[in-house]
Amino acid sequence: MSYTVEDAVKTIAIVRPILEQITHKWCILILTFLCEEPKRFSTLKRELDGITQKALTETLRRLEKNGLVDRSVTTVSPISVTYSITPLGRTLQGPYLSLLRWAMEHRDDLQSVDSSPGGKSSSSQKLIPFA
């Protein structure tokens, strides 16, 4: 069964909020890292070069609220917080890895902005960064 434009129009109100949650700026990378093994906050921050402490905290809270990540606090000294992926979160592993693979295969195509006057690429399109 194929998914048509008509199907997309009918389901957009249902799927849009879900897609916005699972494709939020750092979600894909965080969930991909957590698929390997549970990680402490500091390890995630170190692995996600460029993420702020605030952004990591907010993203982890969002993922936890949506049932994609579990948060575990160790109360023995030193106290630590470990994050792990839930079974629901793990169902995103295949699609996320496919998306990351696609991004690696096409990164040169997407970043082929020419430095010539006007900034035109070979396909006459300029890459616009996502906000």
Side-chain angles (χ1 to χ4, degrees), residues 27-55:
C27 289
I28 294 173
L29 291 175
I30 290 171
L31 288 173
T32 302
F33 287 166
L34 291 177
C35 279
E36 293 177 355
E37 62 185 1
K39 297 190 186 291
R40 293 178 61 180
F41 184 91
S42 58
T43 303
L44 282 169
K45 182 151 179 3
R46 192 171 37 255
E47 289 179 348
L48 292 164
D49 187 36
I51 193 168
T52 64
Q53 184 164 336
K54 180 181 177 187

Side-chain angles (χ1 to χ4, degrees), residues 1-14:
M1 183 173 128
S2 63
Y3 194 72
T4 65
V5 172
E6 291 81 20
D7 295 331
V9 170
K10 289 177 192 173
T11 62
I12 193 72
I14 298 167

Side-chain angles (χ1 to χ4, degrees), residues 60-75:
L60 287 167
R61 284 182 184 158
R62 182 181 309 108
L63 292 169
E64 185 181 8
K65 180 181 175 190
N66 289 327
L68 301 173
V69 166
D70 276 332
R71 180 180 185 265
S72 174
V73 179
T74 306
T75 56

Side-chain angles (χ1 to χ4, degrees), residues 18 58 67 106 109-110 114:
I18 297 165
E58 289 174 355
H106 298 285
D109 299 330
L110 294 171
D114 189 359

Side-chain angles (χ1 to χ4, degrees), residues 112-123:
S112 63
V113 177
D114 189 359
S115 61
S116 63
K120 293 183 180 179
S121 69
S122 56
S123 64

Side-chain angles (χ1 to χ4, degrees), residues 17-35 59 62-63 66 68-69 85 88-104:
I18 297 165
L19 291 174
E20 286 174 354
Q21 288 298 316
I22 64 173
T23 59
H24 192 266
K25 187 172 183 174
W26 293 101
C27 289
I28 294 173
L29 291 175
I30 290 171
L31 288 173
T32 302
F33 287 166
L34 291 177
C35 279
T59 304
R62 182 181 309 108
L63 292 169
N66 289 327
L68 301 173
V69 166
I85 197 158
L88 178 61
R90 189 158 304 278
T91 64
L92 289 167
Q93 185 176 14
Y96 278 175
L97 290 177
S98 294
L99 183 59
L100 290 172
R101 206 172 297 117
W102 180 89
M104 289 302 295

